[in-house]
Amino acid sequence: MSFEEMWAALLPVGRDPGTGGYHRFAWTPPELECRAWFLDEARRRDLDVERDRNGNLFAWWRPGGARDGAVLTGSHLDSVPGGGAYDGPLGVVSAFAAIDLLRERGVRPGRPIGVAAFAEEEGARFGVACLGSRLLTGAIAPDRARGLRDRDGRAFGDVLAAHDLDPDRIGPDEDLLGRVSCYVELHVEQGRALTAPVGVASAIVPHGRWRFGFAGEGNHAGTTRLEDRRDPMLPFARMVLAARDAAERHGAFTTVGRVEVTPNGVNAIPSAVTAWLDGRGPADDLVRRTVAEVHEAARDAAREHGVAVELAEESYSPVVDFDTALRDRLAGALGGVPVLPTGAGHDAGILAARLPTAMLFVRNPTGVSHAPAEHAEPADCLAGVEALTAVLKNLACG
Ligand code: HGY
Ligand code: MN
Ligand code: MN
């Protein structure tokens, strides 16, 4: 199957017909359909398929039967709520297409080449981004992962068990990591900084997620005097505005995109409001300072309104500077393409703690991502496949 045919096959899976956004949450039917697609494409190419203990998928091309020293590529198949078509799948489809090109051109790599589809990269269901690659590399405690719950209260461990994975076995897989020499992830650029068809990543900026819990007193919207209210919506509102102010002060990025209101009724003062802050910035201390100032504003407003507030850090990734030798080797193999940082997190950022890791970016003309309008031109996607093919040949045949 060509790139275009693979792309067309995936395109309708998990797509909202009204908004055009994708809802491919880990271990839900649309994402399971994407997993089935991955296995079909792997088998179509006689690749050895592997599902690791954490639910990550791998397809290995082992021309000489060797298992060690593999060059791994790929990305993820899950999405954020209402996400775009390219974030994740572009890297997986491009990986299969690159293997096809290598074979068509008679290239026989000396090293195995693997295609990965990491589980729960967006953290859209269980709340922790890059959950599959964090488990694989030991970047999250298995106990904590087992207990993560989705919005329906289902525990991650139970969901794995429902898919024939033993929740007691999740965690680092040194054997699998030991078989991989490097990881190169191709990904749609999620900003407007890339003006050429393809670029190479230099770094991922620090980023994290924090949960703010505001507890007040539920009451009647029409009969409760203002002075008697302990309304958690008010400190929440102050926190959102403080997040934007702090971001402007520190050159950081803050976003509050998810809020849960209890009981969420029009005529009831909420008893509780839970809100998630996504915080990112050019340096760790700036991100930390930004979050601390948001927390202080939330605390002040909570005190003013007789509301309790709790803050929990759900995940944090310090700055990732990609392996410079690998970065420069890729840039050189591609004849000198732009090298740029990103504000988006990736499995490559997690694997970088354990392996020489690099990223290729494909131009996104509008820069829009995590939204239905996310787009990359077909010519740029094919340029990405050619670039990945050249990089895999350089790394697996050199
Ligand atoms: O949230 C991110 O930065 C990534 O797209 N998961
Ligand atoms: Mn994403
Ligand atoms: Mn992604």
Side-chain angles (χ1 to χ4, degrees):
M1 267 200 168
S2 68
F3 176 93
E4 293 83 356
E5 288 167 321
M6 286 191 279
W7 194 254
L10 262 185
L11 214 51
V13 179
R15 186 170 183 274
D16 181 317
T19 64
Y22 286 84
H23 299 275
R24 295 168 174 166
F25 307 139
W27 305 104
T28 63
E31 195 253 9
L32 293 171
E33 199 175 332
C34 291
R35 286 173 171 266
W37 167 86
F38 180 95
L39 296 175
D40 286 347
E41 290 305 320
R43 292 187 180 111
R44 192 192 309 277
R45 293 168 176 81
D46 293 325
L47 303 179
D48 297 336
V49 295
E50 177 180 6
R51 185 177 73 165
D52 76 0
R53 65 182 63 159
N54 302 303
N56 301 306
L57 294 178
F58 300 88
W60 302 102
W61 178 21
R62 295 174 170 137
R67 292 170 58 84
D68 293 338
V71 176
L72 184 63
T73 184
S75 189
H76 61 94
L77 296 169
D78 65 303
S79 75
V80 294
Y86 296 80
D87 177 352
L90 182 63
V92 181
V93 173
S94 299
F96 284 126
I99 286 179
D100 293 347
L101 282 184
L102 289 171
R103 286 173 166 177
E104 284 167 23
R105 295 169 183 174
V107 175
R108 188 176 168 76
R111 295 172 177 273
I113 292 177
V115 179
F118 288 105
E120 182 67 331
E121 189 276 344
E122 296 292 1
R125 181 172 181 186
F126 295 101
V128 173
C130 301
L131 184 55
S133 54
R134 288 180 194 269
L135 279 165
L136 170 62
T137 58
I140 186 171
D143 263 350
R144 178 178 175 220
R146 269 186 285 271
L148 293 172
R149 293 185 181 277
D150 67 12
R151 301 182 195 204
D152 299 326
R154 287 199 70 190
F156 178 63
D158 297 340
V159 171
L160 289 184
H163 293 281
D164 304 322
L165 286 162
D166 180 352
D168 293 331
R169 292 194 61 244
I170 64 174
D173 191 332
E174 297 305 331
D175 167 67
L176 199 157
L177 289 171
R179 289 186 262 133
V180 178
S181 64
C182 65
Y183 175 60
V184 179
E185 179 169 356
L186 180 144
H187 203 284
V188 66
E189 155 70 355
Q190 294 168 295
R192 285 183 288 188
L194 180 57
T195 52
V198 175
V200 171
S202 57
I204 297 177
V205 304
H207 59 285
R209 299 180 184 192
W210 289 265
R211 187 182 67 249
F212 283 77
F214 299 94
E217 181 182 56
N219 214 324
H220 195 292
T223 57
T224 311
R225 299 185 307 168
L226 294 187
E227 58 267 41
D228 295 334
R229 294 181 181 212
R230 293 198 294 116
D231 184 349
M233 198 62 97
L234 296 172
F236 157 68
R238 184 83 61 78
M239 168 262 193
V240 175
L241 296 172
R244 178 55 179 260
D245 292 347
E248 288 173 355
R249 253 193 317 280
H250 297 302
F253 286 45
T254 54
T255 308
V256 179
R258 180 184 170 193
V259 183
E260 287 180 357
V261 181
T262 304
N264 209 22
V266 172
N267 55 354
I269 302 168
S271 56
V273 174
T274 306
W276 283 263
L277 173 71
D278 180 308
R280 314 190 188 207
D284 283 302
D285 62 337
L286 285 184
V287 176
R288 293 290 183 193
R289 200 175 315 151
T290 299
V291 175
E293 291 178 12
V294 177
H295 188 199
E296 187 181 351
R299 270 202 312 264
D300 292 348
R303 195 177 308 113
E304 189 184 327
H305 291 281
V307 168
V309 59
E310 282 186 0
L311 172 65
E313 180 173 290
E314 289 199 339
S315 67
Y316 186 73
S317 301
V319 62
V320 170
D321 289 309
F322 285 114
D323 182 285
T324 48
L326 188 56
R327 179 199 68 195
D328 295 343
R329 182 170 174 176
L330 266 56
L334 299 176
V337 294
V339 178
L340 65 160
T342 180
H346 300 282
D347 292 306
I350 303 299
L351 288 163
R354 300 296 310 274
L355 299 166
T357 300
M359 289 193 75
L360 296 179
F361 290 134
V362 171
R363 176 167 52 189
N364 174 339
T366 65
V368 171
S369 184
H370 283 190
E374 182 183 85
H375 180 70
E377 291 300 327
D380 287 348
C381 292
L382 295 179
V385 173
E386 282 293 347
L388 184 59
T389 304
V391 160
L392 293 178
K393 182 179 178 187
N394 179 289
L395 295 171
C397 303

